[in-house]
Amino acid sequence: MSPDRTYRTAVRLFATGFRVMGYRFDVRGAEHVPAHGPAVIAGNHIGFLDFTFIGHAARTRGRIIRFMAKRSVFGLPLVGRFMRAMHHIPVDRMHGASAYRRGLQLLDAGELVGVFPEATISRSWLLKPFRRGAAALAANRDVPLVPVVVWGGHRVLTVDGHWSLRRRVPITIIVGEPLHARGGESVDELSRRLHGRMEQLLTEAIDSYPEAPRDDADRWWLPHDRGGSAPDPQTAAVLDRDAVARIGDTFE
């Protein structure tokens, strides 16, 4: 089976699951996903299904995204097989050059390359500092850098045992206008501009989200500065590092 055929089969399976669960998608700005040609899609990372939700937005434009994901995911028996068949990109955090080269190859082939600049899921639900990969890929090939944020998807499945089979969960996806590297702008400057834009989009998504926690026990999915019980970014960073160390991985 070709990678695109496998990919589209997986998309149909997820779409069926979304319909069964009755997820209430609010997709804004999907027109900013290029209908043709290469681009880097940069998304926030709050749950295990972020790539499917971002892919859902791209689907409305008839596009599929080849996502960068940590190499360990590709080692899972069934998931890894599908990830490889769909030509997603395994990333070794200690040796990321091969993933970067593969990303450039896909851009040269006119593909959309998906990157989570935070590298790991944010336990604070707010944006963590970004790694340079998304901006570096876009600047290297002078392609659009498209910011995307997801909100509500972490209520379905995320870290620390948080998951729910609750139906009709609202999921907000906002696609921002593409960024382009400016003349003389460094990769770090472009990455900082991307971070700032995604912070704005995330604020918009949280502000307009149609549901609130049902009780104190349900406040876990809100950031600490919104009355939620999620850890603040500094505490979350410690928890992130501890979790990564437990599986023998590294941020570096």
Side-chain angles (χ1 to χ4, degrees), residues 2-252:
S2 71
D4 283 2
R5 187 175 176 186
T6 302
Y7 204 127
R8 296 187 192 284
T9 298
V11 166
R12 285 194 294 271
L13 289 173
F14 274 109
T16 299
F18 294 161
R19 285 194 297 273
V20 169
M21 295 304 297
Y23 295 146
R24 292 179 285 152
F25 285 102
D26 176 9
V27 181
R28 310 174 203 168
E31 68 275 8
H32 297 312
V33 176
H36 306 282
V40 176
I41 310 297
N44 69 320
H45 206 5
I46 56 174
F48 293 124
L49 298 179
D50 291 335
F51 74 100
T52 67
F53 299 138
I54 294 172
H56 177 78
R59 181 187 175 202
T60 66
R61 298 286 283 169
R63 300 301 302 273
I64 58 178
I65 306 172
R66 314 293 185 189
F67 282 95
M68 291 188 170
K70 61 183 181 180
R71 183 173 295 277
S72 59
V73 173
F74 290 76
L76 299 174
L78 183 60
V79 174
R81 181 179 177 183
F82 271 98
M83 293 290 283
R84 288 188 295 273
M86 291 186 286
H87 286 191
H88 292 308
I89 308 166
V91 179
D92 183 334
R93 292 196 186 103
M94 295 186 68
H95 307 284
S98 62
Y100 181 78
R101 288 194 297 269
R102 181 58 182 153
L104 293 176
Q105 290 170 355
L106 290 170
L107 291 174
D108 291 341
E111 301 261 16
L112 300 181
V113 175
V115 182
F116 296 107
E118 297 166 277
T120 58
I121 290 174
S122 169
R123 283 175 162 81
S124 72
W125 317 132
L126 302 173
L127 290 183
K128 301 195 298 185
F130 281 5
R131 301 188 73 169
R132 306 169 75 246
L137 285 169
N140 189 300
R141 291 301 192 260
D142 192 24
V143 300
L145 178 57
V146 183
V148 185
V149 299
V150 176
W151 186 253
H154 58 313
R155 298 177 65 192
V156 177
L157 182 64
T158 191
V159 292
D160 300 328
H162 292 299
W163 62 276
S164 174
L165 292 176
R166 184 183 175 207
R167 300 187 73 255
R168 296 188 53 77
V169 172
I171 298 172
T172 300
I173 307 162
I174 306 180
V175 185
E177 293 184 9
L179 305 178
H180 296 268
R182 298 166 177 163
E185 184 177 38
S186 70
V187 168
D188 286 333
E189 289 169 338
L190 177 59
S191 189
R192 285 194 291 271
R193 191 152 57 94
L194 173 67
H195 193 284
R197 181 59 182 133
M198 288 178 63
E199 280 190 323
Q200 294 172 345
L201 295 175
L202 185 57
T203 296
E204 178 185 343
I206 298 173
D207 284 346
S208 61
Y209 194 68
E211 285 192 356
R214 292 163 293 179
D215 49 40
D216 282 348
D218 194 40
R219 290 169 54 241
W220 67 267
W221 55 268
L222 275 184
H224 77 290
D225 59 355
R226 298 295 188 115
S229 56
D232 62 74
Q234 293 74 27
T235 302
V238 175
L239 295 173
D240 290 343
R241 288 192 175 275
D242 288 346
V244 168
R246 283 197 298 273
I247 61 173
D249 207 341
T250 176
F251 281 109
E252 305 306 327

